[in-house]
Amino acid sequence: MNNELMRIYNRQVLIFTDLDGTLMDHYSYEHKDAKHCMNRLLGHSIPIIPNTSKTFSELLVLRKRLKLNGPFIIENGAAIYINKNFLPEKPKGALWQEGFWVKSFSSKRNYWLGLIKKVTPEYGHLFESFSKMSQERIIELTGLSVEDALLSSQRQFGEPLFWKGTDEELEGFIAVLRRMGSHPVKGGRFLHVGGDCNKGKALTWLLKEYQRQHKNITVSTIALGDGKNDIAMLEVADTAVRIASPVNEPPELQRTTKIHTSSLHGPKGWAEVLEQLIPESTFFAQSK
Ligand SMILES: [Mg+2]
């Protein structure tokens, strides 16, 4: 076992994972190639925590499909939902909502829709706002089924925009939105307009809360992602895993250590790297 594995294995590991293009295939949204690896890790009580741009409504369905029953982070770090048995006590600053402890980090969607309205006269011809899209258009842009498209439109904290302009125009637009107090993040398909939250801040908050409530355990984190909106969590996790994507280059990181990049796409790459980082032999070595 190498040193990195030793460091991981003397601790409780928390895995934070992007979904689209990472645990789930960018095109088919399937996760079957990661299933075996997921089940093995869950069997060793390693939580797999989705950290996604998707909505609460989508996650309720996806958790069942993925057979995950732990915490999850929605809408690019806008809120964390924590199941009651994940932590011994109420998490600080969380509210009990719909069967979860919920910690939110952003203003609600209406606030951001108001802001987008202000920039529409000048930039409206360059983007399509999710809230204004027909269900057919959402399906066309995302490849989601009718049911899933409906769930994805139930956003609480931010607004996705489909960009139709050039990259240069996008840069200018992002600068304008920033000056107005929003923190736009480019995902795999959309520009997400929302508050000062990201997948990294959410990861850090949950890690701190977990550590506060488990003082005798040293916790380490692995984050996996394939897009720009994953950079914040890839930077703050102990180990960063970049999943190769069929549509973009692996996200560029500032950090220079403990970065792994998969050679395979999506769920195949997910399993490829986690099988290397957490091989079954580790557990035998640990129990000896
Ligand atoms: Mg992704």
Side-chain angles (χ1 to χ4, degrees), residues 232-262:
M233 73 163 167
L234 292 172
E235 294 286 6
V236 299
D238 293 306
T239 302
V241 181
R242 305 189 301 171
I243 300 297
S245 159
V247 291
N248 54 257
E249 291 299 312
E252 276 182 40
L253 302 181
Q254 299 286 319
R255 68 185 292 168
T256 53
T257 58
K258 296 179 86 175
I259 305 173
H260 301 262
T261 306
S262 72

Side-chain angles (χ1 to χ4, degrees), residues 170-222:
L170 178 62
E171 267 178 44
F173 182 60
I174 287 174
V176 168
L177 290 173
R178 284 212 180 107
R179 279 201 291 279
M180 295 172 80
S182 131
H183 292 73
V185 178
K186 183 92 176 64
R189 288 182 171 83
F190 297 100
L191 178 73
H192 293 267
V193 179
D196 187 12
C197 52
N198 61 47
K199 293 184 177 189
K201 285 185 182 173
L203 181 156
T204 301
W205 186 90
L206 188 56
L207 170 65
K208 276 194 182 154
E209 191 56 30
Y210 189 91
Q211 191 73 78
R212 186 181 74 81
Q213 297 199 29
H214 297 89
K215 291 209 167 64
N216 299 325
I217 303 175
T218 309
V219 188
S220 71
T221 55
I222 299 175

Side-chain angles (χ1 to χ4, degrees), residues 18-22 26 187-188 199 225-227 229-230:
D18 172 48
L19 295 179
D20 287 2
T22 299
H26 178 82
K199 293 184 177 189
D226 72 316
N229 60 339
D230 298 311

Side-chain angles (χ1 to χ4, degrees), residues 60-95:
L60 280 190
V61 175
L62 274 174
R63 283 170 94 231
K64 284 196 186 125
R65 202 188 295 164
L66 297 166
K67 297 202 168 61
L68 294 176
N69 53 22
F72 53 97
I73 298 165
I74 60 153
E75 297 193 35
N76 283 315
I80 306 178
Y81 284 75
I82 304 165
N83 51 304
K84 202 164 188 183
N85 54 6
F86 184 69
L87 292 169
E89 297 167 24
K90 172 187 181 295
K92 266 187 188 168
L95 298 171

